[in-house]
Amino acid sequence: MRIVKTIGLWLMRVVATIVLVATLAVVVTSVSPIYNFAKLGPFFGPDIYNPYANIDSAYMWRRANFHTHTRVEGPLNECDYWPEEVANEYLKYGYDIVTFSNHNEITEHPTLSGEAVSLYEHGYNLFKSHNLVFGAEQVCRYDMLLPLSVSQRQFMLDMLCRDADIVQMNHPLRTIATTDEHLRLLEGYTLIELDSGRSTENEYWDVALSAGHYVLGVANDDLHYPDRSASIAVRSNFLATPSLSYDDVLSTLRAGCFYAMRTPDYGAGVWQEKVRRNAMLPTVTGIGLRGDSDSVYIELSSRADSIKFVGSDHRTLCLAKDADSASFLLGPDEPFVRITAYFPDGEVIYTNPFARYDSAVADSPRRRPSHTINWPYTLLFNSVLVVVAIGLILLYIRVVSYKFERCKIGPKANRE
């Protein structure tokens, strides 16, 4: 009986140790500044930023997927296929640019080498708060296990942005505990991932835009299973880039000279049909501002069921039905407008926003990050974390010591 009791107490000690280590890991990785966030307010100014101003018809459009997982060296893998195999699969569907965004690992492109777009997906945390980091020379290994607060997520974005050309916020709809307040306040990232499959409306994008954050929308497969028809070639981006070089792709992404697209799973497992239909996608044939006016227009290669102009607070500003072109006069009191086109077979095109700004003082509506550290709250918050950590350690020592005093076996115990 005493042996069983001793083994049980040892097991309890192991469990207590695991719980302590896990809890301390959460507490230690929760250390963060607490920020004062400025309320930017809606875009304003006499001019309208046209993200498509530099389109050249000689190289419209190059299809891209930026969120792609592959097999990597080592035991931990989210995909069974190597980079070259995945790249070859995308070639079948007319993709010109495929980047490999493996978790916390920079994966070399099998053919383009130094000319390829280099990025990785950052994030170990339990909430799936992940970001794509473009152009970093090395992976940031640090992450917060439970990034609950907006300040913690901003701290992580700031850390990633220091070593990156641009940062993309991944799948906000699938990130646990992401709120509208987060999207109103978070800043510094350039791209936001759209259309996770739950919605074609992308209301969360409009929350950020309405708060004054000029972020651009991308749609990606987030591919893990290239052998599943419903997982590949269902999200993409079409870039008006003069070449496939990293510098040109980066410039195009920063300017917003691209549109995102949702594509049905053509054939639903009949691969030949999927390949055939992907070669026949509707495209944007014209987009921009008409002359020197404030009229935003779009022209499409085929007729859409509807073309919707969406503005601040996700309001529908204009709706054209059964049309292959439409336009909208952006009034001086409208901060921005973006366009969504819905097609009969289920394709959806999302354009980047046209937004008001003052070209005399800035080259785009994008504002510099303006959050500052609130030192009193920062010291208080992190002091509480220190107290919690010390309390956990003391509690652990007391509990373990108590258990082993109870299980001591010796002469005195035997005499009794």
Side-chain angles (χ1 to χ4, degrees):
M1 239 357 240
R2 290 178 178 174
I3 294 175
V4 172
K5 184 177 181 181
T6 301
I7 293 173
L9 291 172
W10 273 99
L11 288 174
M12 290 179 67
R13 183 188 183 192
V14 171
V15 171
T17 302
I18 293 172
V19 170
L20 175 70
V21 171
T23 308
L24 284 178
V26 171
V27 171
V28 170
T29 61
S30 294
V31 173
S32 166
I34 303 300
Y35 295 111
N36 295 314
F37 290 93
K39 301 284 187 179
L40 299 180
F43 306 114
F44 65 93
D47 306 304
I48 297 176
Y49 179 74
N50 175 11
Y52 303 99
N54 296 323
I55 279 183
D56 187 332
S57 59
Y59 48 77
M60 298 168 56
W61 296 92
R62 301 180 192 269
R63 194 176 188 185
N65 186 69
F66 296 111
H67 196 166
T68 315
H69 296 280
T70 69
R71 186 170 180 81
V72 298
E73 299 291 346
L76 300 177
N77 276 283
E78 296 184 278
C79 178
D80 294 331
Y81 294 83
W82 293 101
E84 186 172 7
E85 296 174 293
V86 174
N88 287 337
E89 285 299 308
Y90 270 110
L91 286 175
K92 298 176 183 178
Y93 306 110
Y95 282 75
D96 304 285
I97 303 167
V98 179
T99 65
F100 304 120
S101 56
N102 290 310
H103 279 281
N104 305 295
E105 177 169 324
I106 297 174
T107 304
E108 185 175 345
H109 196 283
T111 58
L112 296 179
S113 126
E115 286 293 301
V117 177
S118 174
L119 53 82
Y120 71 95
E121 184 171 18
H122 175 272
Y124 308 96
N125 63 82
L126 302 177
F127 287 175
K128 294 188 176 182
S129 178
H130 298 161
N131 299 284
L132 288 194
V133 184
F134 286 71
E137 294 185 359
Q138 59 185 7
V139 171
C140 174
R141 300 292 179 186
Y142 176 76
D143 194 17
M144 297 182 173
L145 293 179
L146 291 177
L148 277 168
S149 74
V150 65
S151 286
Q152 289 173 318
R153 295 195 180 183
Q154 186 64 64
F155 179 54
M156 202 67 251
L157 282 171
D158 290 347
M159 189 176 293
L160 297 176
C161 286
R162 279 199 296 268
D163 298 319
D165 291 322
I166 56 176
V167 171
Q168 170 187 308
M169 181 188 292
N170 284 352
H171 44 65
L173 278 184
R174 290 190 286 116
T175 300
I176 299 170
T178 296
T179 67
D180 285 355
E181 186 67 9
H182 288 168
L183 294 166
R184 290 188 189 99
L185 298 178
L186 290 174
E187 53 189 354
Y189 63 102
T190 302
L191 307 173
I192 189 169
E193 198 164 53
L194 308 179
D195 189 10
S196 68
R198 299 183 185 181
S199 170
T200 61
E201 290 296 314
N202 302 308
E203 295 96 335
Y204 54 89
W205 186 17
D206 293 324
V207 171
L209 290 170
S210 300
H213 301 290
Y214 189 76
V215 292
L216 306 163
V218 291
N220 298 302
D221 280 340
D222 190 1
L223 182 77
H224 293 77
Y225 307 103
D227 54 342
R228 299 182 186 179
S229 178
S231 297
I232 190 169
V234 291
R235 307 286 186 275
S236 52
N237 307 283
F238 289 83
L239 282 66
T241 176
S243 79
L244 305 182
S245 73
Y246 177 64
D247 287 344
D248 282 339
V249 170
L250 182 63
S251 296
T252 301
L253 289 175
R254 281 175 170 160
C257 198
F258 63 92
Y259 65 88
M261 189 171 190
R262 175 177 184 167
T263 310
D265 177 25
Y266 297 118
V270 181
W271 293 97
Q272 296 89 339
E273 178 66 7
K274 188 177 182 76
V275 170
R276 185 183 74 85
R277 291 295 303 275
N278 269 272
M280 304 166 55
L281 297 178
T283 62
V284 174
T285 57
I287 186 170
L289 296 171
R290 292 201 184 280
D292 295 329
S293 73
D294 291 350
S295 179
V296 178
Y297 77 93
I298 188 170
E299 297 168 350
L300 304 167
S301 63
S302 59
R303 192 168 291 274
D305 280 343
S306 63
I307 302 172
K308 182 162 64 172
F309 292 78
V310 179
S312 184
D313 299 321
H314 196 61
R315 291 176 299 120
T316 298
L317 303 177
C318 177
L319 182 66
K321 295 185 177 181
D322 191 24
D324 59 9
S325 64
S327 62
F328 173 73
L329 184 64
L330 189 66
D333 295 329
E334 288 294 345
F336 73 90
V337 65
R338 63 177 182 84
I339 308 169
T340 304
Y342 300 88
F343 293 88
D345 291 336
E347 304 92 345
V348 187
I349 283 176
Y350 312 102
T351 78
N352 279 314
F354 296 75
R356 293 216 161 263
Y357 78 120
D358 188 345
S359 60
V361 298
D363 57 5
S364 81
R366 192 171 290 116
R367 284 95 174 252
R368 291 180 178 274
S370 56
H371 54 279
T372 58
I373 297 176
N374 184 318
W375 286 108
Y377 281 142
T378 296
L379 291 172
L380 177 61
F381 174 73
N382 290 292
S383 296
V384 170
L385 292 178
V386 171
V387 171
V388 170
I390 294 172
L392 286 170
I393 293 170
L394 293 176
L395 179 62
Y396 170 79
I397 292 171
R398 183 172 180 179
V399 168
V400 171
S401 299
Y402 173 75
K403 292 180 187 300
F404 278 87
E405 286 171 1
R406 290 290 302 274
C407 73
K408 284 181 180 176
I409 302 173
K412 185 176 180 181
N414 290 335
R415 285 197 302 272
E416 292 173 353

